[in-house]
């Protein structure tokens, strides 16, 4: 079955630095991959979507890369701020259906 | 636009009790989903409804039932709650079968 792995340990980053989160998957080739942000006590909020034929996608301080050979997506936040502290989830979708398969998320802590 | 709303926000049940979690969306989305989220695990799909009048099982449907009442509303029912169903439940909807919009969640504790 499809498996998605994200760093289970919290990632501590100094304010102003670039935070990089990793999402690895196995077994299948997803049609696209999404990143969501989740704050404590709230539902996930969509950030970025990248398709299998795209290498990179940007939105303001956010950048996502998608390497289908390595079966890996990297999520970058540049010029990080304490307000970026949250748990970040990756999710992928196969072409055969439109259900999302979710990673467990990585907790990001930006220290001032 | 309220987006996706869920009720209740918190609930404590005793083993064997039943309850229904309510979800509504005002974005005219066709597809709706119920997930559960447990510590250290990704969101797991319980049931989904691709369109009004249809429902399908997801990864972990046992112990749950759903009703797609109309295009706006999708409810999740626990007929006989068990401690293993202690979790946070999220409802989501999508119009383009890509991005999902989530409700605030229902925190359920089964004693």
């Amino acid at each position: 079955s499809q498996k998605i792995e994200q760093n289970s340990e919290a990632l501590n980053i100094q304010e102003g630095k670039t935070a990089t989160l990793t999402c690895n998957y196995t077994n299948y080739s997803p049609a696209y991959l999404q990143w969501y942000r989740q704050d404590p006590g709230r539902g996930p909020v969509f950030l970025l979507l990248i398709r299998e034929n795209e290498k990179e996608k940007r939105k303001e301080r956010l950048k996502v890369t998608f390497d289908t050979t390595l079966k890996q997506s990297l999520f970058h936040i540049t010029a990080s701020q304490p307000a970026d502290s949250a748990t970040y989830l990756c999710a992928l979708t196969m072409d055969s259906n439109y259900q999302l398969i979710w990673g467990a998320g990585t907790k990001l802590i930006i220290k001032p | 636009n309220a987006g996706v709303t869920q009720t209740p926000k918190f609930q404590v049940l005793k083993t064997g009790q039943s309850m229904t979690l309510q979800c509504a969306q005002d974005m005219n989305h066709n597809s709706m989903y119920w997930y559960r989220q447990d510590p250290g695990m990704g969101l797991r799909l319980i049931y989904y409804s691709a369109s009004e009048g249809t429902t399908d099982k997801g990864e972990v449907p046992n112990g749950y039932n759903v009703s797609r009442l109309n295009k706006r509303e999708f409810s999740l029912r626990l007929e006989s709650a068990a401690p293993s169903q202690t979790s946070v439940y999220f409802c989501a909807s999508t119009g383009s079968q890509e991005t999902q919009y989530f409700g605030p969640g229902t925190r359920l504790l089964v004693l």
Side-chain angles (χ1 to χ4, degrees), chain A residues 80-97:
Chain A
S80 59
Q81 305 166 0
D84 295 326
S85 298
T87 296
Y88 290 86
L89 311 175
C90 71
L92 51 84
T93 303
M94 258 42 82
D95 246 340
S96 58
N97 61 55

Side-chain angles (χ1 to χ4, degrees), chain A residues 52-95:
Chain A
E52 59 177 335
N53 60 350
E54 297 175 316
K55 296 291 185 186
E56 182 179 298
K57 197 76 123 359
R58 292 176 184 262
K59 179 183 175 183
E60 297 173 353
R61 294 184 297 111
L62 309 180
K63 184 179 84 171
V64 173
T65 62
F66 194 10
D67 189 326
T68 55
T69 301
L70 291 178
K71 294 187 182 295
Q72 181 181 78
S73 175
L74 299 178
F75 178 79
H76 307 272
I77 305 175
T78 58
S80 59
Q81 305 166 0
D84 295 326
S85 298
T87 296
Y88 290 86
L89 311 175
C90 71
L92 51 84
T93 303
M94 258 42 82
D95 246 340

Side-chain angles (χ1 to χ4, degrees), chain A residues 7 20 26 34 41 49 52 56 73 89 93 110:
Chain A
N7 286 350
T20 298
T26 59
Q34 304 183 45
L49 180 153
E52 59 177 335
E56 182 179 298
S73 175
L89 311 175
T93 303
I110 307 298

